[in-house]
Amino acid sequence: MTLFRQMSLLPRRPIFKGPTAKKENPSKMAKKQTNGTSEIAVEMGTMKPDEVAKNILQLNQLESAVNVPVTIQYSGFHPPPPSRRMMGDLAYIDVTIHGDDGALKECIVVTACTHGFYVNRNSCVGQTPTFDPSPALKSSFAHTLLDCLLQASSTFADKWSLALESAQQRNVLLSQINKGPFSTLFRLAIRGSVGGFASQALATKSSQAIDATLSTPSWLVTVPQSEESSVTLWSRNACHRYQVGRAEEDISQTFGVDIRSGGMRDWNEELQLAREMPVSTLLERLERARVIHKTMTEFGEASLVGVKAICDGQIAPMNPNEGSRTQVYLHNNIFVSRALDVGPETFRLVKGDRAAKKSASREIQCIKTFHRMESSGFYTLATVLIDYLGSRYICQSILPGILQGERSHTILLGSVDVEILMKCDEDFQELLKEKIGEPLNLLSRPVYTNPLSDNRREECRRMKKASLVVEAVEETKEKEVESEETMYTCCPLETKGIQGSDQRRYLLDFGRMTPRDANWVPQAQGGTGKWEATESVNRIPKSLFDEEWTMNVLRPELVNQWIRSEMSKFIEQKRKEYAEASAIDGNDADNEKPDVSAEGKTEKTKEDEKFTITEEEQRSVTDNLKLNVNVFLPDVRVVNREEMKLDEEKARAAASFLWDDVLPRITRAVRERGLSQAPVDGKGLTEFLHRSGVNCRYLGRLASLAREEELRDEKVKDDLKHGRLAVTPRRTMPQSWLDLLECEMVARAAKHVLDSYLVEGSLVGAARPLQITASFLSALVSEREETAAQTENRLEKRGLSIPDDDDLLGLVPFDLGTGDALPLPARSRTEIWQDIETEIGRRFRYNLVLFNKSNKSGRTIYTPLLRRFCQRTGIRLAAKDYNIGGACYTQGNSAAGRMFASYPISPVDIVDIVPLMKHSAAYYEGFSPCGLYPTLVTPPLQISLYDAKIALERAHLQMNGRGLSRALELTQEAATLYQRVTESGAHPGVVECVELMANIFHEANDPVLATANGAKALGLAVQSGGFDGPGVFHGHILMFQMLFAAREFDLCVKHLKAAMYILEISGGPRHVEHYDALHKLGAVYSHEEYKGKYCEEAARIFRELESLDPNDRLLEGFTLRALAKNLALCGDYRAAVESEKKANKSLSRFVSKDHAAMRESDADLKKYTQFAVKQGARSVVQKNIKEQEEMANAMAADLMAEEEQKKQDAKKKKMNKKKKGKK
């Protein structure tokens, strides 16, 4: 299952260095060179696999010689005393030189002075401390530390000379390997599997180099092996190098605070000043976007480092006397809190930890929208969400004046406490209505200044009295406001508008841009009742009452679709009314035939063209379609019941549009193959649903619709088998759609279940998460639990690379399950899957039909599930073969707290668990894994430069209109702008630009530049999304198409195989794209260019396709025709006839006899039949001849046997006569 095996299928290409400027003649691409390679093959720098492996092996062997084993650290006598500092001493340095075996060989103490470096007489490490900083007899003075050491130590000089020679050899090998942009990624990917490293620590650098190159941490980590025989195979202790500098860096860690800059950064001021920069010219807009992007990126990095330090206990909270749930942190001018329901301390409508988590996610989504809108007049804070070990942290910049008391800031909108009446500044409210209400179609409605119900307010008072932390709110000294006073607002009730000490107006806690989803509101409270109408069985709750569903809102994309649909209905109605009125007027007029104008239009047509909709009518319809975001809220008083009923009805209409129109339309599009690009994995599925306006909570409903379609297909198949159908439907429901939906549901539910395991018992699980996580993974990717006999049998056959329970117990100094220590919870596979299915039933209202069913259907995709779950939780596994899909060992209900070797995934197989981040300016939605070591890695961000986006959109339009030259100019302009803002080529915007350039060159029939830019886009996709990302899959398909068009079949096959491998591990072997990719592979092997050279391989591929479901019965006929063609090329005409008959029968269901495909099929069937008859006749003749030969040979053998027998009889008679004569 090693992920990087796919790289052996790829051509070697370099990392992107800029747009291709070289222009080649396209006509040259059709000509082959005398050595058998084309210009594309030379451009792509392909090498033989044996040569590449040999060069990389030599490169790995040189790694130890290049690294000089020297440790440089400050001496224990540092810093110099005042008397020596006055003499010019700056620092005392201990230089330790190690031998090849790692033992201490030589120690030198160096003084750094104002003039240079020299060896002093201080005692070295391990000796009796003696301070004598005077120069040694051989002082070896030099202006650089390197020259000083070369003079002072012959051992160091020899090792340095050897390192220089090895470095020269390494440069030669690198020049031979790096023949193209993609070759660097290829070398990094396979370097660890080649071997040749002298030590495990050096071998580990290869996997660290991959992490340093990729912008997204991969869920699989290579663990290369070295030539050290003493290293335990399963333990990675030898991977950690002894490095004093790393220890000193950790001791002096400031956790993101730059103490040398003179003070902590004011993130909010930097961000707001950047947003206020001028935008009159392109250069000003470019500089503004660059500063905003830099500030937001660095804020995300600082938040990531700070949260990691908080989890490690390195940062003290602001309120240490309170419980861990309510503790908040202020570090590096970033306010950090947990997304939990901490009680009535602030004015919020949500209740429960789950609702608080979802509320934080909804709020950051709104901030992201405001960030893209570039609205002026109000400001938002820089915000980041980080998920780590089951806890969600909210990181925000500091609002000016919020920490200095109430007098330093002013509340303009909302309330900060349930006991304080809401405020509403009219100017600020008008600003929000103009900047937010109108663009987002939000309806302003009156609300009470004390909107909570009496029961809710009384509940909050009781909670405050019971709390030992929350102090009683002082009675306000402001003017008493009547309880029935109202105010108009278009924002959620929880929204707060605050004017900070910098006089800027900030918008906080804006958690909804759309109303609550009425499909998830109980019918008794005004919901649509769609879910209640469905059957609730097994683990699906019968009621929709759940605190978390309070934050289930409609997506803005869905609201826009609903508005367009309603506008279309209005226009059609007006057109119909206009047509009826015109018909009545026409009947009253004379019944003369209308004259035809010079343009060929009748008078009636001219009358139809007069149909228009006035601006007042459009505005009236638009105003009627505005939505109230404060509907279906619990514990909230309503001002006007009639208005609220109308608003709820519109919200129900939008939710019903989602249920009745959007979801069935998506199902039909999947069935009819109407999607431009089918989702490859769970991430692509999520993005596709969000673009369609569907929340992921409807995965269960989509799966139910898909299951209904599959049952209908099974009935059709049975009817076809028994001849009960007159008309055969062409399309079938792809099984991969249900596979992908259930896989995503299981991954999402499993994440919530694992988070609950980690945070239970006062975060005991998060303190040592390896054992819990390994057991959970083992249960997730298995079908059953091992018996005791199976476990014992497996351990007897284990090798040295697999540890047992005793080995793992030796990793920790004590048994966590004994004494006063808190035991870690241990659960069996049955308990884990019960929790997962319960969460799926609650969250998606669906019962699994594929997973956890003993794989009766054979459709359980465990590898994509493991991949997706690791991506959603930040788990990084060691890349090796895991026996998934079988029995597991989780040691449930026994020996709680002990370290044990779970199977098939052991605790030592988990390399790391990284945090996940959701940035308010992120390019993608959702949480993305982040890296902390060896480099900081955060998700890519949007750029605040519309010039780049507009240029890219215009480039697409120009390309669609065949304006290729102009499209290329606009694409290059957009790519340049993206790179200047982000200062990186590995950005999704740059990848999209380079892919578009490749398509432009492809349309212009320039295969050299098309493949060059396509390969650059592929390399950038690997860097930005990992080796198995959806963008990488589409990049391989793009390269296949371009290389196939250039007739470079050997290279295009490699890309197609790599795409199929990625598709198998991300979407499963039955993915709808797998059939298409396999069909393309067979088409390449059967291409006329090969002249039947690979007809047997092509026939094998098409036979494999025959056993798969193409989801298109017409395509099945063409596949059978291709199989018949290749069987005929192989000389098996009888099998070709059978295949062509099947193809003819399949095609006849959908096309007529006069269709070209049917005529060709009939002609080929006749031809194959004739060849089969001739072949059969020849075979009969050959069989008769063979039988006659066999008969003749048998007769000859009989005659020879008779002759031999006669000779033997005559000899015996002669011997008998001699014996009688002697007697």
Side-chain angles (χ1 to χ4, degrees), residues 236 389 754 757-758 765 768-782 785 803 808 824-829 832 866 869-870 873 875-878 880 882 884 887-892 898-913:
R236 289 189 297 274
L389 296 179
L754 179 60
Y757 291 171
L758 293 175
R768 304 186 66 171
L770 276 188
Q771 186 62 73
I772 296 177
T773 306
S775 300
F776 191 91
L777 288 174
S778 299
L780 186 66
V781 297
S782 62
E785 189 91 29
L808 290 179
L824 296 176
R827 292 175 174 86
S828 65
R829 180 192 179 278
I832 292 174
L866 178 62
F869 179 75
C870 290
T873 54
I875 298 173
R876 307 188 70 195
L877 293 177
K880 69 175 188 179
Y882 294 101
I884 61 177
C888 70
Y889 172 66
T890 61
Q891 205 179 27
R898 289 171 54 92
M899 288 284 290
F900 61 91
S902 55
Y903 179 81
I905 299 177
S906 175
V908 295
D909 294 328
I910 300 176
V911 178
D912 193 9
I913 301 179

Side-chain angles (χ1 to χ4, degrees), residues 740-807:
L740 199 58
L741 291 172
E742 284 208 4
C743 178
E744 183 67 12
M745 281 189 285
V746 173
R748 287 175 174 268
K751 178 186 182 299
H752 290 284
V753 173
L754 179 60
D755 288 347
S756 65
Y757 291 171
L758 293 175
V759 300
E760 66 182 355
S762 300
L763 302 178
V764 173
R768 304 186 66 171
L770 276 188
Q771 186 62 73
I772 296 177
T773 306
S775 300
F776 191 91
L777 288 174
S778 299
L780 186 66
V781 297
S782 62
E783 295 181 359
R784 61 190 181 279
E785 189 91 29
E786 276 185 346
T787 62
Q790 290 175 337
T791 303
E792 184 177 356
N793 186 32
R794 175 176 56 82
L795 292 177
E796 289 178 354
K797 297 179 180 180
R798 70 181 181 89
L800 296 177
S801 60
I802 302 177
D804 58 7
D805 293 350
D806 294 335
D807 294 331

Side-chain angles (χ1 to χ4, degrees), residues 593-823:
K593 185 177 180 180
D595 298 332
V596 180
S597 61
E599 292 80 5
K601 296 183 178 180
T602 63
E603 295 295 331
K604 187 175 181 180
T605 306
K606 290 184 177 181
E607 291 293 331
D608 292 339
E609 291 179 353
K610 294 180 181 179
F611 168 73
T612 57
I613 299 178
T614 62
E615 184 177 351
E616 290 77 10
E617 290 177 327
Q618 292 181 359
R619 182 173 295 276
S620 176
V621 175
T622 304
D623 291 341
N624 290 332
L625 294 177
K626 289 184 178 180
L627 298 174
N628 183 3
V629 297
N630 295 316
V631 294
F632 305 122
L633 296 181
D635 303 322
V636 174
R637 299 194 300 160
V638 179
V639 176
N640 191 324
R641 292 286 180 182
E642 297 300 325
E643 288 183 348
M644 182 59 67
K645 288 181 179 180
L646 294 176
D647 297 342
E648 290 179 350
E649 184 60 33
K650 287 189 290 185
R652 280 192 294 269
S656 299
F657 173 75
L658 168 63
W659 185 280
D660 298 329
D661 292 357
V662 177
L663 298 181
R665 184 168 66 244
I666 292 176
T667 304
R668 288 193 301 269
V670 173
R671 181 185 181 91
E672 300 297 329
R673 302 293 295 273
L675 304 180
S676 58
Q677 286 183 350
V680 177
D681 60 351
K683 181 180 179 182
L685 174 65
T686 302
E687 293 175 354
F688 164 69
L689 293 180
H690 287 175
R691 288 195 304 268
S692 303
V694 180
N695 302 85
C696 287
R697 59 178 172 269
Y698 285 99
L699 288 170
R701 178 58 183 169
L702 288 171
S704 299
L705 295 176
R707 183 60 180 166
E708 293 175 2
E709 294 292 329
E710 289 187 2
L711 294 176
R712 189 177 296 113
D713 290 339
E714 292 177 3
K715 185 178 183 302
V716 169
K717 186 177 180 181
D718 184 69
D719 292 342
L720 284 175
K721 183 178 180 181
H722 295 86
R724 294 192 292 264
L725 278 182
V727 179
T728 304
R730 175 181 171 181
R731 303 286 187 179
T732 61
M733 191 68 187
Q735 292 184 347
S736 61
W737 180 244
L738 181 59
D739 298 348
L740 199 58
L741 291 172
E742 284 208 4
C743 178
E744 183 67 12
M745 281 189 285
V746 173
R748 287 175 174 268
K751 178 186 182 299
H752 290 284
V753 173
L754 179 60
D755 288 347
S756 65
Y757 291 171
L758 293 175
V759 300
E760 66 182 355
S762 300
L763 302 178
V764 173
R768 304 186 66 171
L770 276 188
Q771 186 62 73
I772 296 177
T773 306
S775 300
F776 191 91
L777 288 174
S778 299
L780 186 66
V781 297
S782 62
E783 295 181 359
R784 61 190 181 279
E785 189 91 29
E786 276 185 346
T787 62
Q790 290 175 337
T791 303
E792 184 177 356
N793 186 32
R794 175 176 56 82
L795 292 177
E796 289 178 354
K797 297 179 180 180
R798 70 181 181 89
L800 296 177
S801 60
I802 302 177
D804 58 7
D805 293 350
D806 294 335
D807 294 331
L808 290 179
L809 282 176
L811 296 177
V812 293
F814 53 87
D815 185 358
L816 297 179
T818 60
D820 297 332
L822 292 174

Side-chain angles (χ1 to χ4, degrees), residues 216 307 325 347 363 458-459 484 550 749 792 794 820 1023 1043 1046:
T216 302
V307 168
R325 290 175 54 88
F347 183 86
E363 181 181 348
E458 185 62 28
E459 179 185 357
E484 299 301 319
T550 308
E792 184 177 356
R794 175 176 56 82
D820 297 332
Q1023 285 184 267
L1043 291 170

Side-chain angles (χ1 to χ4, degrees), residues 1031-1047:
V1032 180
F1033 168 78
H1034 295 300
H1036 283 301
I1037 295 296
L1038 178 64
M1039 286 298 298
F1040 162 77
Q1041 295 172 351
M1042 294 179 177
L1043 291 170
F1044 182 81
R1047 305 179 73 84

